[in-house]
Amino acid sequence: MTTLGIIGAGHIGSQVARVAVANGYDVVIANSRGPETLAGLVDELGPRAKAATAAEAAAAGDVAVVTVPLGKIDALPVEELAGKIVLDTNNYYFERDGHIDALDKGETTTSELLQKQLPTSRIAKAFNHIYAADITTDGTPAGTEGRRALATAGDDAEAVDFVTRFYDEVGFDTVNVGPLSESWRVERDRPAYVVKQTAEELTANLAIANRLP
């Protein structure tokens, strides 16, 4: 069974861990405070989960999930993530991250910044435009009328395929935005951000997004 190495155990990271374990994945999860601080979460998740350092989680994961603040990506374990599919959940919050000129000007995206930091990893956007609590409550079986959709973006076809499959397993349809350079369409303050929407509605919201909201 596939192991997810989750770097970041905040709201999104812990929720992704929950739906992953519920769907038969093994999880190795890390935070910035040390594995011992994750004892309660690991106990909740059960025998498929264990806590580790960021480097250990990256090394253990067949696929990784990076869900740390944008300002912390320069501390990621580059070598351990080399060659791996990495799901990027990040958004740009200048109030938290400080102003980043290239993002303020619409010259790059958060996922492209992560790709630059992890040059040999295969980045795909995932879970960045859904409230964390909804990850475990809004999923429904494939074919359900009005099924919620989530977007992904990536330059690597296998990475996008993994996100599409994982979304479906945990209860969501997928809309592919295109390459990482287009992932701004689903970032903060755009029409598709944290909105409950079907695939058709999400596609429409992506189309009307402005590069600089």
Side-chain angles (χ1 to χ4, degrees):
M1 179 51 69
T2 301
T3 297
L4 290 188
I6 302 178
I7 302 174
H11 297 303
I12 292 180
S14 59
Q15 287 288 78
V16 171
R18 291 182 177 102
V19 293
V21 166
N23 283 276
Y25 288 78
D26 293 325
V27 167
V28 181
I29 189 165
N31 66 7
S32 61
R33 294 178 294 133
E36 66 281 357
T37 66
L38 294 171
L41 176 62
V42 169
D43 286 346
E44 174 200 332
L45 293 171
R48 286 193 175 276
K50 67 178 182 178
T53 66
E56 289 167 344
D62 301 303
V63 173
V65 181
V66 167
T67 179
V68 300
L70 186 60
K72 304 292 186 181
I73 62 172
D74 59 352
L76 291 169
V78 178
E79 182 177 344
E80 289 84 355
L81 293 171
K84 295 186 178 183
I85 293 171
V86 175
L87 277 55
D88 169 39
T89 76
N90 222 323
N91 291 291
Y92 171 43
Y93 291 94
F94 62 83
E95 304 92 334
R96 175 196 67 189
D97 305 315
H99 279 283
I100 299 172
D101 193 53
L103 292 176
D104 290 338
K105 293 179 178 178
E107 296 172 348
T108 191
T109 65
T110 58
S111 290
E112 287 177 297
L113 290 179
L114 183 61
Q115 182 68 83
K116 185 176 180 180
Q117 180 65 28
L118 303 174
T120 63
S121 299
R122 297 180 286 163
I123 310 299
K125 201 74 179 175
F127 292 110
N128 76 298
H129 62 293
I130 179 173
Y131 287 121
D134 293 348
I135 294 172
T136 54
T137 60
D138 280 17
T140 55
T144 300
E145 184 177 357
R147 192 188 201 203
R148 187 169 180 175
L150 298 176
T152 188
D155 300 334
D156 182 273
E158 289 186 9
V160 170
D161 286 347
F162 176 83
V163 174
T164 301
R165 183 170 68 254
F166 188 59
Y167 275 169
D168 185 55
E169 289 169 344
V170 304
F172 302 94
D173 287 340
T174 305
V175 174
N176 184 355
V177 179
L180 294 180
S181 60
E182 289 293 304
S183 61
W184 60 268
R185 293 183 180 275
V186 75
E187 290 186 345
R188 176 191 180 188
D189 295 332
R190 274 76 174 191
Y193 187 66
V194 295
V195 175
K196 295 185 179 184
Q197 55 209 317
T198 64
E200 182 178 0
E201 292 166 339
L202 175 52
T203 299
N205 281 331
L206 293 168
I208 62 174
N210 290 319
R211 185 67 196 250
L212 297 177

